[in-house]
Amino acid sequence: MEIVKKRIGIVGGGQLGKMMILEAKRLGFYVAVLDPGADCPAHSICDKHIVAAFDDPKGYAELAEYSDVITYEFEHINAKALEDLEKKGHVIYPSVTALKTIQNKNLQNIALEKNQIPIPRFSLVTNTDEIRECGKAENFGYPMMLKATTGGYDGKGNALIKTENDVEDAFKQLGNGAIEVMVEEFVDFEKEISIIACRGINGEKVVYPVAENTHKNSILDVTAVPANISQEISDKAADIANKVMSVFEGVGTFCIELFETKDGEISVNEVAPRPHNSGHYTIEGCFANQFENHIRAIVGLPFGDTSLIMPTVMVNLIGESDGPARLLGLEEAYNDPSVHVHYYGKSESKTDRKMGHYTVVGKTIDDTLHRAMELKKVVRVVGE
Ligand code: ADP
């Protein structure tokens, strides 16, 4: 196979696309991105930027013309346009079949359940009576989650139903029947963990160490590795991740988000067919990071070592206010040489927008977590 000067097309030019490009460039590849944002994070480092909407088939066709292989950095994209290109012989990884299943949380759950992968109980619903039926004690009981089956991210598209009184509001909040929704039993979890897994074209699989995640307003806040979990849970997570990669025949990097319950069980919350925010720790924390192994996977190269080098903590830099973005505290943060700041280069800060992240490495996870938390007061992104 001709590896040299491979041309890669990425649907999406956000921070994940940007970090994929940095790894593709290490091997001298050329990269085009499709993104509607003229100054998206990947813009400054890609070879070609196709400025087109994510539903515009023409943009996809132009991307395909440029690329030997197409991949994507998020899942809310035009699967039909990609399917048409795949039928014409264009190479797309992960496959469009995997994308279409994962795009829809109901189809995703059905595929996982069919393959005996543990997930919370769920039920597609079309009206408030059906939601109330789910809420009965003999079914899921309250609280429970109402979820839009497509288009959700960072908790947008979810509504918590604490009691029967919340049913009407939750249903209205999620489109009042205009979009497909499902109810999921509420998992009273002890911890949220995730595991990054990669699968090659030839079926070779590797997994990364389990990450422990904490969220704020449903947005990832902190990832700590190693996770404070038993070896048994860690082995179970790796086993599930391997199974998930086989189920979807995923080529590339995937993320499997999991709940650990108080009684030591784990279940899958959701699968992302792409590198993930909770895998950013791998850039400094592991020998080969999730983006490098994604690029290796889609061009047919063997994987790099996924082992953890040292305890690592990742903290997201979330916009604190709206306006032209300003990064504060960089110099002060760099007084500690074990700190790495990643600034995505988005010109506008918005409250709750992911603007960057930083990573701290150290000898022990406790010390590393402590230093990472202290830095939160220092490194911040505000809208001027
Ligand atoms: P998104 O696709 O928007 O990232 P998720 O479905 O992962 O949304 O949900 C976001 C957060 O909501 C999760 O990280 C978790 O904290 C919480 N959550 C989601 N589903 C459940 C559930 N069934 N039980 C308890 N908490 C849940």
Side-chain angles (χ1 to χ4, degrees), residues 119-193:
I119 51 167
R121 287 178 295 163
F122 67 104
S123 176
L124 212 52
V125 288
T126 56
N127 56 52
T128 47
D129 285 343
E130 288 175 10
I131 300 176
R132 279 191 201 91
E133 189 61 32
C134 292
K136 287 186 177 160
E138 65 268 30
N139 296 321
F140 304 160
Y142 295 100
M144 48 188 200
M145 294 292 281
L146 188 67
K147 292 188 172 186
T149 57
T150 56
Y153 68 99
D154 289 344
K156 292 167 188 74
N158 288 355
L160 177 64
I161 302 178
K162 284 191 193 141
T163 68
E164 194 175 341
N165 296 335
D166 298 332
V167 168
E168 294 285 342
D169 278 354
F171 193 61
K172 269 199 201 118
Q173 192 189 321
L174 298 190
N176 214 10
I179 53 166
E180 190 181 65
V181 292
M182 65 182 202
V183 173
E184 215 172 70
E185 77 175 301
F186 190 83
V187 181
D188 187 17
F189 57 79
E190 172 83 17
K191 275 187 179 28
E192 291 194 80
I193 56 178

Side-chain angles (χ1 to χ4, degrees), residues 242-317:
N242 275 305
K243 272 200 194 133
V244 167
M245 296 311 279
S246 300
V247 167
F248 294 114
E249 296 183 333
V251 170
T253 292
F254 279 49
C255 175
I256 298 94
E257 290 182 75
L258 302 149
F259 297 122
E260 181 193 359
T261 59
K262 296 190 169 75
D263 49 6
E265 292 302 322
I266 51 176
S267 58
V268 174
N269 171 26
E270 63 176 347
V271 175
R274 53 169 172 82
H276 192 262
N277 194 170
S278 67
H280 290 355
Y281 82 89
T282 62
I283 297 176
E284 287 84 15
C286 299
F287 290 98
N289 71 58
Q290 61 165 352
F291 300 100
E292 174 171 2
N293 272 339
H294 183 70
I295 297 296
R296 290 195 196 199
I298 64 169
V299 303
L301 289 169
F303 290 122
D305 186 352
T306 56
S307 318
L308 190 69
I309 305 168
M310 304 176 78
T312 306
V313 174
M314 190 275 332
V315 178
N316 266 339
L317 291 169

Side-chain angles (χ1 to χ4, degrees), residues 190-252:
E190 172 83 17
K191 275 187 179 28
E192 291 194 80
I193 56 178
S194 62
I195 184 157
I196 302 288
C198 313
R199 185 171 168 276
I201 295 168
N202 61 2
E204 178 196 0
K205 283 180 277 190
V206 288
V207 296
Y208 282 90
V210 177
E212 181 171 342
N213 303 314
T214 45
H215 295 81
K216 215 159 100 186
N217 303 329
S218 287
I219 303 169
L220 182 64
D221 184 25
V222 178
T223 297
V225 190
N228 184 14
I229 54 172
S230 66
Q231 187 60 45
E232 193 191 342
I233 291 287
S234 173
D235 292 344
K236 274 189 192 169
D239 185 47
I240 287 176
N242 275 305
K243 272 200 194 133
V244 167
M245 296 311 279
S246 300
V247 167
F248 294 114
E249 296 183 333
V251 170

